[in-house]
Amino acid sequence: MAYFENVGKINYEGVKSDNPFAFRHYNAEEIVLGKTMKEHLRFAVAYWHTMTQDGSDPFGKATNIRNWWGETPMETAKNRVEAFFEILEKLGVEYFCFHDIDIAPEGDSLEEFFQNIDEITDLIKEKMDETGIKLLWNTANMFSHPRFVNGAASSNNADVFAYSAAQVKKGLDVSKKLGGENYVFWGGREGYESLLNTDMAFEQDNIARLFKMAIAYGEKIGHKPQFLIEPKPKEPSTHQYDFDAATSMAFIQKYGLEGDFKLNLEANHATLAGHTFEHELNVARSYDALGSIDANQGDPLLGWDTDEFPTNVLDTTLAMYEILENGGIAPGGINFDSKVRRSSFEMDDLFLAHIAGMDTYARGLKAAAALKEDRFFDELKEKRYASYQEGIGAKIVAGEEDLESLTAYALENDDITLESSHLEFVKSRLNDYLF
Ligand code: XUL
Ligand code: CO
């Protein structure tokens, strides 16, 4: 049975096409800088936003109309697998991501939850084998259930820690079963509300304990996905421990997790932290820790995690530039952690939204490739830092100077000439690559 009878395979038709169910920029097999677009972009669809999100918000009930609702939670879960793979195949997306609770009902006990996961992942595996579609990453939802009110690994209650460990173990078993390429830890409620009753250092030690158990278990079962921490500064906790890329790198280094852990960076989390997305990608890159991305965008006027589909070409261009400079994103990918707006409640909006996101990233890729080929940013930066290429600058970089020698130099050279950045001109030239 087809869940989307009105929608066929989405093909590339170019910008002249007025078919809403066609790509105007994403041409999977087109070669850009020596690789196909699909190799560069490694798109993934997120199970939670696409299959389980119902359009409700803090002020209103569900709006989404979905034809996969069944008589029982398990029937709905099975229908969802069918519908999900139909979406992936029709979009030509080769990867997907999910939380454990997105795919299977939790039931009345942990045991029942695990049985449900086994049954549904059998179905998912069949579909994967049939279609060649792959698992980019899975994760455990350790934030929705009331037991996680004070966090998961960072909870004050050791039974909650144990429960979380069981979910992570199952997550890794599932990752092995489905050949997951990455495994994500987004610290849902790993943060705190008030320092008055919180031992922050102890809670972070405990998070690191769980991560080390995950590394050890992966080694034991002979399955080593790339582990990823997904930073977010706030929401739901007031203070989230993995605030941003820099904070998460400090955590990774403090607990000696380099080598096993990289970062999964999300655009809307970056803006919540008061950063641009490209800032976060650049920070990760400077640590060789850019693992994967969650593609979306926030609403700058609202300032919370609205998870909109990305439609801003400047943002995707600068993000893709960072990815190109990184030498690609594999084994990570571009996961649409994006949801249709509450008013886009029709089934077909799921396609229109993904097409919009994929086209916006494809456009960003093409613009970023042109910027790279033209050495646009390279030339700008080479010129800007030229004073370190020779003379005193080259000696500073080579470690040949000290405070005394530089004082002697500065006393002779205190009439300093600076150059204008011409930043407005630069931005205007950058626009030429976008439109
Ligand atoms: C929450 C968020 C999560 C993670 C996975 O803001 O981004 O969906 O991506 O748990
Ligand atoms: Co995310």
Side-chain angles (χ1 to χ4, degrees):
M1 172 195 161
Y3 286 86
F4 294 87
E5 278 173 352
N6 304 330
V7 184
K9 175 100 176 90
I10 312 297
N11 295 313
Y12 170 72
E13 292 184 10
V15 282
K16 297 226 167 74
S17 169
D18 58 6
N19 174 7
F21 293 97
F23 295 119
R24 295 151 61 77
H25 299 278
Y26 179 61
N27 186 7
E29 300 301 333
E30 186 180 322
I31 304 285
V32 177
L33 295 181
K35 280 202 291 197
T36 60
M37 277 198 175
K38 76 174 188 197
E39 281 173 294
H40 276 291
L41 295 164
R42 295 171 59 84
F43 287 130
V45 174
Y47 217 95
W48 54 104
H49 287 313
T50 299
M51 304 315 293
T52 65
Q53 195 259 128
D54 63 8
S56 57
D57 72 8
F59 306 97
K61 294 182 183 164
T63 54
N64 291 349
I65 302 156
R66 303 292 182 243
N67 61 6
W68 51 73
W69 295 325
E71 297 290 315
T72 64
M74 260 323 247
E75 193 186 319
T76 301
K78 288 177 190 168
N79 294 344
R80 279 193 181 121
V81 174
E82 290 286 330
F84 189 58
F85 277 82
E86 186 183 334
I87 296 172
L88 290 164
E89 278 206 279
K90 286 185 171 172
L91 281 174
V93 167
E94 295 188 341
Y95 290 92
F96 65 104
C97 302
F98 64 86
H99 302 82
D100 45 8
I101 71 160
D102 307 334
I103 58 162
E106 289 170 87
D108 293 327
S109 65
L110 187 57
E111 199 182 347
E112 190 182 335
F113 183 30
F114 285 171
Q115 278 163 7
N116 291 343
I117 290 176
D118 289 342
E119 200 175 329
I120 299 295
T121 50
D122 282 347
L123 282 184
I124 291 180
K125 189 165 177 358
E126 267 173 41
K127 284 278 172 193
M128 290 172 74
D129 291 343
E130 218 174 278
T131 59
I133 288 167
K134 295 170 281 236
L135 176 60
L136 186 69
W137 54 260
N138 62 313
T139 185
N141 179 319
M142 307 190 295
F143 46 89
S144 293
H145 192 279
R147 78 176 66 82
F148 300 117
V149 64
N150 294 318
S154 71
S155 172
N156 56 308
N157 186 311
D159 285 351
V160 176
F161 187 107
Y163 195 102
S164 310
Q167 261 183 277
V168 170
K169 176 186 175 296
K170 189 70 181 170
L172 290 171
D173 289 336
V174 163
S175 174
K176 180 174 178 175
K177 174 172 174 180
L178 303 180
E181 299 186 22
N182 305 268
Y183 185 88
V184 164
F185 288 96
W186 168 57
R189 292 180 195 273
E190 311 290 39
Y192 71 89
E193 204 171 358
S194 169
L195 252 195
L196 296 178
N197 62 1
T198 301
D199 185 339
M200 187 156 48
F202 177 69
E203 292 198 358
Q204 295 198 37
D205 287 349
N206 274 349
I207 297 173
R209 286 187 179 102
L210 183 67
F211 288 0
K212 287 185 178 171
M213 289 178 195
I215 295 169
Y217 186 67
E219 275 160 13
K220 184 171 176 194
I221 62 173
H223 174 64
K224 248 192 141 229
Q226 172 67 62
F227 287 108
L228 300 169
I229 292 178
E230 182 176 327
K232 185 175 182 180
K234 53 191 162 203
E235 241 193 81
S237 302
T238 315
H239 304 267
Q240 297 271 142
Y241 291 136
D242 305 322
F243 189 93
D244 59 2
T247 315
S248 302
M249 285 317 304
F251 179 92
I252 286 174
Q253 292 184 333
K254 177 175 179 187
Y255 295 101
L257 301 169
E258 308 97 320
D260 291 297
F261 274 80
K262 287 191 173 182
L263 301 178
N264 179 39
L265 295 163
E266 175 165 328
N268 204 166
H269 295 180
T271 47
L272 276 179
H275 301 307
T276 60
F277 191 28
E278 61 272 19
H279 166 94
E280 289 293 84
L281 300 179
N282 199 291
V283 169
R285 212 154 60 69
S286 73
Y287 287 95
D288 190 22
L290 175 51
S292 198
I293 71 170
D294 271 7
N296 59 21
Q297 67 186 29
D299 184 329
L301 300 179
L302 288 178
W304 68 78
D305 196 14
T306 53
D307 286 341
E308 297 173 22
F309 274 87
T311 50
N312 183 318
V313 183
L314 174 61
D315 289 349
T316 59
T317 299
L318 298 178
M320 284 315 301
Y321 187 80
E322 291 298 331
I323 289 174
L324 291 178
E325 286 290 279
N326 195 54
I329 193 78
I334 297 180
N335 168 47
F336 288 106
D337 194 347
S338 314
K339 63 182 171 210
V340 286
R341 296 302 84 201
R342 191 162 187 268
S343 56
S344 300
F345 44 74
E346 288 177 12
M347 296 267 297
D348 292 355
D349 282 307
L350 293 171
F351 277 91
L352 297 176
H354 280 94
I355 293 168
M358 291 164 77
D359 268 343
T360 307
Y361 261 89
R363 254 180 114 165
L365 167 63
K366 286 190 247 178
L371 286 160
K372 200 167 157 62
E373 273 185 319
D374 291 355
R375 304 193 74 253
F376 182 90
F377 295 118
D378 294 323
E379 275 175 22
L380 246 171
K381 290 178 193 172
E382 274 163 21
K383 197 156 171 278
R384 191 151 183 266
Y385 296 99
S387 67
Y388 286 93
Q389 290 301 320
E390 53 188 15
I392 194 71
K395 286 186 177 170
I396 292 172
V397 172
E400 289 165 12
E401 298 292 330
D402 58 26
L403 290 187
E404 285 164 302
S405 66
L406 287 173
T407 301
Y409 177 89
L411 285 169
E412 294 296 313
N413 296 277
D414 60 349
D415 188 12
I416 299 170
T417 315
L418 294 176
E419 278 175 33
S420 167
S421 67
H422 310 303
L423 204 49
E424 297 77 5
F425 169 76
V426 171
K427 289 184 179 177
S428 148
R429 280 293 163 92
L430 178 58
N431 276 346
D432 294 346
Y433 287 83
L434 308 182
F435 302 107

